[in-house]
Amino acid sequence: MDDEKITALFWERSQEALVMVEKKYGRILRSAALNILKDPRDAEEVVADTYMKLWDSIPPQRPRQLLAYAAKINRNGALMALRQKHRQKRDDRGAVLYSELDECLASAGSITEHMEAEELAGLINGYLRTLGGENRRLFLRRYFLMEDMDSLARDFGESKKVLSSRLYRIRRGLRDYLKKEGIAV
């Protein structure tokens, strides 16, 4: 069933919408939550919360891309669960990933002086549209879904060193793209 029909089921308040989302995107949502949380039970809880949030937000929302909408809710829920889980402990997985992007992005303070976060996201999305499909998937899986290099190397059939080099070139391209758009990096 396509996303438009699933969204229509949400608008009709049919519980079949949740069944269809689980059938079509459940594996992706679980995998993304598991990449962040590293605990299957916590990941399942986040996915269940994602379904509830989808139910509560559609309507009034009518997402153009259901997977992107669900993935964003799921990722935010997983990151929130990770923060709560490690409130007393220091978990640097996110810091390590985002430190790789430091060369592309200026500090949060200087970015907000130039533009709102949504505008920056729009520019990043614009850059991602310029990439080939495989590089775009690699970037999103590494930095949005927070997948580790071992699983990426396995799935892409390349060594971690090769993927690290590709990611470096993608980040350099992002940095150059943002500079060209007038963002101080």
Side-chain angles (χ1 to χ4, degrees):
M1 182 177 290
D2 70 14
D3 288 358
E4 248 181 61
K5 290 179 182 175
I6 296 171
T7 302
L9 290 172
F10 275 108
W11 276 77
E12 295 168 6
R13 305 312 289 161
S14 169
Q15 292 201 5
E16 185 183 352
L18 294 173
V19 172
M20 296 309 297
V21 169
E22 165 60 28
K23 184 177 181 180
K24 190 169 183 180
Y25 299 125
R27 186 180 60 79
I28 295 169
L29 297 174
R30 269 188 294 289
S31 175
L34 188 58
N35 286 333
I36 294 169
L37 295 168
K38 305 298 184 203
D39 182 323
R41 289 178 306 211
D42 290 344
E44 282 297 328
E45 189 173 320
V46 165
V47 172
D49 289 346
T50 298
Y51 296 150
M52 288 185 57
K53 288 177 182 170
L54 284 172
W55 184 260
D56 291 342
S57 66
I58 306 173
Q61 297 295 320
R62 189 177 285 274
R64 286 182 288 158
Q65 295 181 333
L66 186 58
L67 175 58
Y69 186 73
K72 183 176 180 181
I73 291 170
N74 189 64
R75 181 177 186 270
N76 289 343
L79 291 173
M80 187 181 309
L82 184 65
R83 276 192 297 276
Q84 290 172 348
K85 185 176 180 179
H86 295 285
R87 212 170 278 272
Q88 300 303 319
K89 296 186 254 177
R90 185 169 172 88
D91 182 1
D92 64 350
R93 273 183 290 152
V96 168
L97 281 175
Y98 293 122
S99 72
E100 293 177 10
L101 292 172
D102 278 348
E103 67 189 46
C104 303
L105 303 174
S107 69
S110 64
I111 288 174
T112 54
E113 292 171 11
H114 289 94
M115 62 179 41
E116 296 293 322
E118 286 182 17
E119 292 175 294
L120 178 62
L123 287 173
I124 292 171
N125 285 334
Y127 171 70
L128 291 175
R129 281 190 287 278
T130 69
L131 296 176
E134 189 167 288
N135 282 340
R136 182 177 28 242
R137 279 191 302 281
L138 176 62
F139 184 90
L140 289 172
R141 286 179 64 179
R142 178 69 175 149
Y143 299 113
F144 186 77
L145 298 177
M146 301 175 80
E147 287 191 37
D148 61 59
M149 291 300 287
D150 289 326
S151 72
L152 290 172
R154 187 177 51 253
D155 291 351
F156 281 83
E158 295 182 11
S159 72
K160 292 191 305 187
K161 185 175 181 175
V162 168
L163 289 181
S164 292
S165 294
R166 281 178 57 193
L167 286 166
Y168 174 78
R169 287 191 301 275
I170 293 168
R171 291 190 311 268
R172 296 287 283 201
L174 174 60
R175 185 191 68 189
D176 294 345
Y177 181 87
L178 291 175
K179 279 183 179 179
K180 183 178 160 191
E181 294 295 324
I183 304 301
V185 291

